[in-house]
Amino acid sequence: MINYLLGAFVQGFVLQEQGPLSASEAMGAGRREVATAAGEQLRRLPQETFPNLVALADDLTDPSMEARFSFALERLLDGLSTLLEQGSGVRNEGTSHE
Protein backbone atom coordinates (compact mmCIF):
# COMPACT_ATOMS: atom_id res chain seq x y z
CA MET A 1 0.00 0.00 0.00
CA ILE A 2 2.82 2.41 0.87
CA ASN A 3 4.62 1.63 -2.39
CA TYR A 4 1.45 2.42 -4.33
CA LEU A 5 0.93 5.68 -2.44
CA LEU A 6 4.48 6.92 -3.01
CA GLY A 7 4.45 5.80 -6.64
CA ALA A 8 1.12 7.53 -7.33
CA PHE A 9 2.34 10.71 -5.62
CA VAL A 10 5.54 10.87 -7.68
CA GLN A 11 3.77 9.96 -10.92
CA GLY A 12 1.07 12.58 -10.36
CA PHE A 13 3.64 15.23 -9.57
CA VAL A 14 5.68 14.44 -12.67
CA LEU A 15 2.55 14.58 -14.85
CA GLN A 16 1.63 17.96 -13.34
CA GLU A 17 5.16 19.27 -13.81
CA GLN A 18 5.36 18.17 -17.44
CA GLY A 19 2.01 19.60 -18.50
CA PRO A 20 1.70 23.27 -19.46
CA LEU A 21 0.23 25.57 -16.81
CA SER A 22 -1.76 27.43 -19.42
CA ALA A 23 -2.15 28.08 -23.12
CA SER A 24 0.52 30.78 -22.73
CA GLU A 25 3.08 28.21 -21.65
CA ALA A 26 2.00 25.87 -24.44
CA MET A 27 2.68 28.76 -26.86
CA GLY A 28 6.21 29.25 -25.54
CA ALA A 29 6.02 31.43 -22.42
CA GLY A 30 8.19 30.28 -19.52
CA ARG A 31 6.63 28.57 -16.49
CA ARG A 32 7.86 31.32 -14.13
CA GLU A 33 6.44 34.00 -16.43
CA VAL A 34 3.04 32.26 -16.47
CA ALA A 35 3.02 31.78 -12.69
CA THR A 36 4.00 35.42 -12.11
CA ALA A 37 1.17 36.61 -14.38
CA ALA A 38 -1.31 34.33 -12.60
CA GLY A 39 -0.19 35.69 -9.22
CA GLU A 40 -0.65 39.25 -10.42
CA GLN A 41 -4.16 38.42 -11.64
CA LEU A 42 -5.07 36.83 -8.31
CA ARG A 43 -3.75 39.83 -6.37
CA ARG A 44 -5.88 42.18 -8.54
CA LEU A 45 -9.13 40.38 -7.69
CA PRO A 46 -11.52 42.33 -5.46
CA GLN A 47 -10.39 41.64 -1.88
CA GLU A 48 -13.94 41.84 -0.52
CA THR A 49 -15.24 39.27 -3.01
CA PHE A 50 -12.25 36.88 -3.13
CA PRO A 51 -10.38 37.34 0.16
CA ASN A 52 -8.92 33.82 0.20
CA LEU A 53 -7.62 33.87 -3.37
CA VAL A 54 -6.02 37.26 -2.85
CA ALA A 55 -4.45 36.11 0.43
CA LEU A 56 -3.13 32.88 -1.12
CA ALA A 57 -1.84 34.39 -4.38
CA ASP A 58 1.82 34.03 -3.39
CA ASP A 59 1.40 30.49 -2.02
CA LEU A 60 -0.40 29.40 -5.18
CA THR A 61 2.11 30.85 -7.64
CA ASP A 62 5.52 31.46 -6.04
CA PRO A 63 7.17 28.23 -4.90
CA SER A 64 9.29 26.37 -7.41
CA MET A 65 8.26 22.87 -8.43
CA GLU A 66 11.22 21.51 -6.44
CA ALA A 67 10.06 23.32 -3.30
CA ARG A 68 6.48 22.11 -3.80
CA PHE A 69 7.64 18.51 -4.31
CA SER A 70 9.90 18.58 -1.25
CA PHE A 71 7.21 20.11 0.96
CA ALA A 72 4.52 17.65 -0.18
CA LEU A 73 6.82 14.62 0.10
CA GLU A 74 7.86 15.62 3.62
CA ARG A 75 4.19 15.93 4.67
CA LEU A 76 3.37 12.57 3.08
CA LEU A 77 6.28 10.91 4.88
CA ASP A 78 5.28 12.59 8.16
CA GLY A 79 1.83 11.05 7.82
CA LEU A 80 3.20 7.61 6.97
CA SER A 81 5.61 7.79 9.89
CA THR A 82 2.72 8.53 12.25
CA LEU A 83 0.71 5.61 10.89
CA LEU A 84 3.63 3.23 11.26
CA GLU A 85 4.34 4.43 14.81
CA GLN A 86 0.71 3.73 15.71
CA GLY A 87 1.05 0.24 14.29
CA SER A 88 -2.08 0.76 12.23
CA GLY A 89 -1.33 -2.05 9.78
CA VAL A 90 -0.80 0.28 6.81
CA ARG A 91 0.67 -2.59 4.82
CA ASN A 92 -2.54 -4.59 5.14
CA GLU A 93 -5.11 -1.86 4.61
CA GLY A 94 -7.34 -2.36 1.64
CA THR A 95 -6.25 -5.94 1.05
CA SER A 96 -9.38 -7.61 2.40
CA HIS A 97 -11.27 -9.68 -0.16
CA GLU A 98 -14.55 -10.06 1.73
Side-chain angles (χ1 to χ4, degrees):
M1 198 66 148
I2 292 173
N3 287 342
Y4 172 78
L5 176 64
L6 291 173
F9 169 74
V10 171
Q11 182 180 30
F13 202 90
V14 168
L15 287 172
Q16 179 186 3
E17 184 179 38
Q18 296 304 310
L21 291 173
S22 69
S24 296
E25 187 177 4
M27 299 294 291
R31 187 170 282 255
R32 175 60 15 217
E33 181 182 352
V34 171
T36 299
E40 290 169 2
Q41 285 183 309
L42 290 172
R43 284 185 280 283
R44 283 195 301 264
L45 290 171
Q47 173 77 31
E48 59 282 349
T49 307
F50 303 102
N52 294 328
L53 285 175
V54 173
L56 291 172
D58 290 338
D59 289 333
L60 293 171
T61 60
D62 278 347
S64 69
M65 293 303 280
E66 292 83 11
R68 289 175 186 228
F69 181 83
S70 294
F71 177 81
L73 182 60
E74 287 172 17
R75 301 298 71 78
L76 182 63
L77 294 175
D78 288 345
L80 288 173
S81 175
T82 300
L83 284 174
L84 292 172
E85 287 171 5
Q86 294 172 352
S88 66
V90 169
R91 295 171 199 257
N92 298 324
E93 283 185 20
T95 58
S96 173
H97 297 289
E98 297 177 25

